[in-house]
Structures are given as C-alpha cells and as structure tokens.
Amino acid sequence: MAEGTQDGPVIDDGYVPPTEAVVALLGVLAYGTLVAFDRIAADARMAPDLRRRAMHSAMAAVEIGNYQRLADRLTELGADPDGAMAPFAGPLDAYHDSTQPRDWLEGLVKAYVGDGIADDFYREVARVLAPRDRELVLDVLHDTRYEDFASAEIRAAIAADPKVANRLALWARRLMGEALSQAQHVAAERDELTMLVLHGSGDIAGVMDLIKRLTAAHTDRMTSLGLNN
Amino acid sequence: MAEGTQDGPVIDDGYVPPTEAVVALLGVLAYGTLVAFDRIAADARMAPDLRRRAMHSAMAAVEIGNYQRLADRLTELGADPDGAMAPFAGPLDAYHDSTQPRDWLEGLVKAYVGDGIADDFYREVARVLAPRDRELVLDVLHDTRYEDFASAEIRAAIAADPKVANRLALWARRLMGEALSQAQHVAAERDELTMLVLHGSGDIAGVMDLIKRLTAAHTDRMTSLGLNN
C-alpha cells in the first residue's frame, strides 16, 4: 500500500473537544460510510468477472459495519444519527455525483485515491479526540486489504496497456480537486469541525501544513500506482 | 417472523451427494448472494430516511459475508467459484430484472417474500447434504433480524394506509410466480440439482409435497404480513 500520512502523535494538552464537534465529525464520517457503501456497491457491477465483483462488493460491505459503530456512538453521545448526518449529505452526495466512475478501473482509482485522502484527513483529526473516539475513528479507516487489491489491479491494467495511465492520472486529479472542493463545503456546514481541525493543527499555518501533508501523501499514492505523470 | 418450513429431519440413509451436485447447489447459492447484495444495496436508496437506508444496506452487506463462505467452500471442493456460479447467472439475473421494486415497500416485500421462498427451498435441500455442507447452507440462510425489520415495516405501512395491502399482495404474487418460473430454469441448468431435490423428496410425489410445503409457507408469510386477500 501507499504510505499515506502516519498516525501523528496524540495531542494530549488537556483539551477536551466539545461534544458538538465530535458529533459533527462522527456525523460526516457516518454519512460518508453510508454513501460509500451505496456507490461502491453500484461500482461493483462494472467488474470484469465475478471474483472481482465479489471483492469490490466486500469492500462496500465493510462500510456498513463501520456505519453501525459510528451510529451507535452517536446515539451514546445523545445525538440522533440521522440528524448528525443530515448537514453533510449535500456536499458528500455532490462529491459522488460529480465523480461517477465510467468503468471498473475508474471505480478502483476512486476507491483507492478517494478513500486514501479521506483516511489521511480523519487520521489527522483523530489526534485531538479523546481516546475512545480516537480509536473508533482509526478503526473505521479503510482496510489495507482492499487498498492492496485496488492498487494491484490498477498497476496490472497499466502494465497491460500503458495508455491507461494517462487517463487514470487525469481522473485521479479530478477526484482530488472535487474532494478538496467538497471538503470546504463540509467544513462550512459546521464551525465545530473547523475548530477541531484548527486545534489539531495549532493555527492557520498548521492547517496549511496539514494540507501539504495530505497533498504529499496523495502524490505518494499516485506514484505507487504509476500515475505520476 | 413467519414460520416458513421447519428444518426437516436430516436424511441419513448413507447417500453421499456427488460433488458435482454439491458444487451446483453452492454455486447457485453463491451467485444468489452476490446478486442479492447488489439488488438490495440498490433498493436501499429508496428508503425514506437514513436509519432505514442503513438497515437495508446492512441486510445487503450480510450477503457478501455469506458469499465469501460459499466461495471458500467451492474452492475447497476443487471448484472454481466463478465457473460454479456462471450457469445460474442467467436465470437469477432474469428473476431480479423482472422484479425490480418501484418503491421502498416493494423492496421490503421482495426481500421478505423472495428470501423467504429461497430460504425454505435451501433448508429442504440441505437435508440431503453431508453435515458440513448442511451446516454451511443453513448458516447462510437469511437472518431473522432483518426479516423482523422488513415485516414490521410492511405491517406498519398497511396499518397507516390499508389500500397499500392490495398493491403489495399483487406484487408478492408476481414475485412468487417469477421465482417459480426461474427456479425451473435453474433446475434445467444442472441435472445434478434436480437429482439432489429428487433424492431429498424421495420421488416425484415427494417433489410435489415439497412444492406444497413451500407454497403453504409462502401463504403463511403473506398472512403474517396482512397480505392474504
């Protein structure tokens, strides 16, 4: 697998994130898993054979287990999962609507690249959470087993037909662009989320560093796929 | 939940089903789970809220875990899962294509009624299998947790608007008709399957009894939903 960002040091400065901020973070994560389930399940139809279709479907199924854990925790925090997710349905649906894969390979790149960016972001934000929520967030990050499957498939397709790399590189850039654009809408929905990221990063310069780290990790992933042209 | 057929007595007459028959049975079951995942996942989109959408998605996700167990057992038996499933893709896809739910309630009835018929059938056939495969088949039958969810939703919808019952009763009859029709195509694909059913039933009269039991269990389910008009 590509490296992504590392689990940073836990920020243990006595700061306790307000419940509304944790609810907002778990809410966006929960809606993200629910919509990812739906989209990845649909993309599985484009698989060239039943073995690959099953693997892609299994990738989708994991999302629902994660959703359940997030929804349970939201309920425990006194929040209604539907209400916690609702503000983020717009931007997350918009991301997926604007990045509908046209074939199997685009679907794999989307799962690999898109989930990679999201995981890196959540891994960073998790650092400011209390231990229990931090562990939950780190647990629901995507399974490397599926990342390995997706990246092996993409590399094999490029090896078989190098022209594919150019098209997929363009596609991955579009995914990154749409992800960044919708991330701003997500942040705009809830100030608490912005405050959480800001606290984890220290200040605005820290946020810039965070964006740099996410971009660098994305570039690493692209290189590992042979998509860095 | 509705009763369905009971786990009949195990048929222990020293008969060992030929591997090809077991492979065919697990193959049709495996393809059934894979396509059910896909269709139920798509139907989840029609849910009226996120909680119900998640529940329906979870119902789909279970299918993939079952698929994996069936594919593993096929591999263990020396069969290629794709090859074992391929003959049944035609009839099972045809069943789903001809029974696309138009709304959330039709999707629930399809999950409840369609899975109920399929489960009853597999439960009967399982009686002639060797213990290990019998347990696998009984294990991958649908979880009553989701059946309870589906039937409670359907009953609540009928209570809220009794006119709904008529439409859903017609729909359920269509599901039963299509299921029976495609079951014949499935059986026609592989003589081994027919032989398995025939052995479990004793003779043609036994097969007629089997069909009667399946029909009676279907009628019970319809009654329990308030759809028996």
Side-chain angles (χ1 to χ4, degrees):
Chain A
M1 62 169 292
E3 285 183 32
T5 61
Q6 303 299 309
D7 286 15
V10 169
I11 298 179
D12 189 9
D13 56 2
Y15 167 79
V16 178
T19 302
E20 312 84 76
V22 178
V23 165
L25 181 70
L26 300 183
V28 66
L29 255 171
Y31 190 76
T33 60
L34 203 52
V35 71
F37 167 80
D38 175 50
R39 302 301 177 125
I40 300 175
D43 294 347
R45 288 189 184 194
M46 299 187 290
D49 56 42
L50 294 175
R51 185 184 69 80
R52 289 180 170 86
R53 176 166 156 186
M55 192 76 187
H56 211 71
S57 300
M59 205 186 318
V62 171
E63 304 280 354
I64 284 300
N66 290 337
Y67 165 80
Q68 201 50 63
R69 296 183 59 188
L70 293 161
D72 289 348
R73 179 65 181 146
L74 282 165
T75 305
E76 221 172 46
L77 289 169
D80 164 49
D82 276 32
M85 291 189 283
F88 309 110
L92 289 179
D93 284 350
Y95 167 73
H96 285 288
D97 287 343
S98 64
T99 57
Q100 295 214 35
R102 282 163 308 173
D103 62 21
W104 169 241
L105 284 173
E106 288 192 0
L108 285 173
V109 170
K110 181 173 172 181
Y112 185 75
V113 170
D115 290 353
I117 300 167
D119 286 358
D120 283 344
F121 172 74
Y122 291 123
R123 197 178 288 119
E124 293 265 358
V125 177
R127 295 163 60 211
V128 300
L129 299 177
R132 183 162 170 199
D133 291 314
R134 183 168 63 240
E135 276 160 36
L136 174 60
V137 170
L138 294 176
D139 269 3
V140 303
L141 299 186
H142 294 87
D143 195 327
T144 55
R145 189 158 58 105
Y146 299 110
E147 288 177 18
D148 293 346
F149 163 70
S151 62
E153 289 280 315
I154 296 162
R155 281 195 303 266
I158 294 171
D161 178 6
K163 285 196 306 295
V164 164
N166 201 36
R167 174 167 74 85
L168 294 182
L170 274 171
W171 169 243
R173 273 204 287 282
R174 225 182 93 203
L175 291 170
M176 182 65 169
E178 293 290 343
L180 284 178
S181 152
Q182 294 305 331
Q184 290 170 35
H185 290 292
V186 165
E189 280 300 331
R190 284 292 180 274
D191 285 346
E192 307 93 273
L193 273 184
T194 311
M195 296 310 291
L196 210 57
V197 174
L198 203 53
H199 184 85
S201 311
D203 54 20
I204 294 290
V207 174
M208 295 309 294
D209 287 342
L210 166 64
I211 293 171
K212 269 189 214 154
R213 284 196 299 279
L214 295 178
T215 310
H218 172 68
T219 306
D220 286 349
R221 264 190 300 273
M222 299 290 282
T223 306
S224 81
L225 291 177
L227 291 183
N228 224 359
N229 56 354
Chain B
M1 65 170 288
E3 288 185 28
T5 61
Q6 302 301 308
D7 287 14
V10 169
I11 298 180
D12 189 10
D13 56 1
Y15 168 79
V16 178
T19 303
E20 311 86 75
V22 178
V23 165
L25 181 70
L26 300 182
V28 67
L29 255 171
Y31 190 76
T33 60
L34 203 53
V35 72
F37 167 80
D38 175 50
R39 302 301 177 125
I40 300 175
D43 294 347
R45 288 189 185 194
M46 299 186 291
D49 56 41
L50 294 175
R51 185 185 69 80
R52 289 180 170 86
R53 176 168 155 184
M55 192 76 187
H56 212 71
S57 301
M59 205 187 315
V62 171
E63 303 280 353
I64 284 300
N66 290 337
Y67 166 80
Q68 202 50 61
R69 296 183 60 188
L70 293 162
D72 289 347
R73 179 63 182 147
L74 282 165
T75 306
E76 221 172 46
L77 289 169
D80 165 49
D82 277 32
M85 290 189 283
F88 309 110
L92 289 179
D93 285 350
Y95 167 72
H96 285 288
D97 287 342
S98 64
T99 57
Q100 296 213 36
R102 283 162 307 174
D103 61 21
W104 169 241
L105 284 174
E106 288 192 0
L108 285 173
V109 170
K110 181 173 172 181
Y112 185 75
V113 170
D115 291 354
I117 300 168
D119 285 358
D120 284 343
F121 173 74
Y122 291 123
R123 196 177 289 121
E124 293 265 358
V125 178
R127 295 164 59 212
V128 299
L129 299 177
R132 186 162 167 199
D133 291 313
R134 183 169 60 239
E135 276 159 37
L136 174 60
V137 169
L138 293 176
D139 270 2
V140 302
L141 299 186
H142 295 86
D143 196 326
T144 53
R145 189 158 58 105
Y146 298 110
E147 287 176 20
D148 293 346
F149 163 71
S151 62
E153 289 281 313
I154 296 161
R155 281 195 303 264
I158 294 171
D161 178 8
K163 284 196 307 295
V164 163
N166 202 34
R167 173 168 73 86
L168 294 182
L170 274 170
W171 170 242
R173 273 204 286 284
R174 225 183 94 203
L175 290 170
M176 182 64 168
E178 293 290 342
L180 284 178
S181 152
Q182 294 306 331
Q184 290 170 36
H185 290 292
V186 165
E189 279 300 329
R190 284 294 180 272
D191 286 346
E192 306 93 274
L193 273 185
T194 311
M195 296 310 290
L196 210 56
V197 174
L198 204 52
H199 184 84
S201 311
D203 53 22
I204 293 289
V207 174
M208 295 309 295
D209 286 342
L210 166 64
I211 293 171
K212 268 187 214 156
R213 283 196 299 280
L214 295 178
T215 309
H218 172 69
T219 305
D220 286 349
R221 264 190 302 273
M222 298 290 283
T223 305
S224 80
L225 291 177
L227 291 184
N228 224 359
N229 57 354

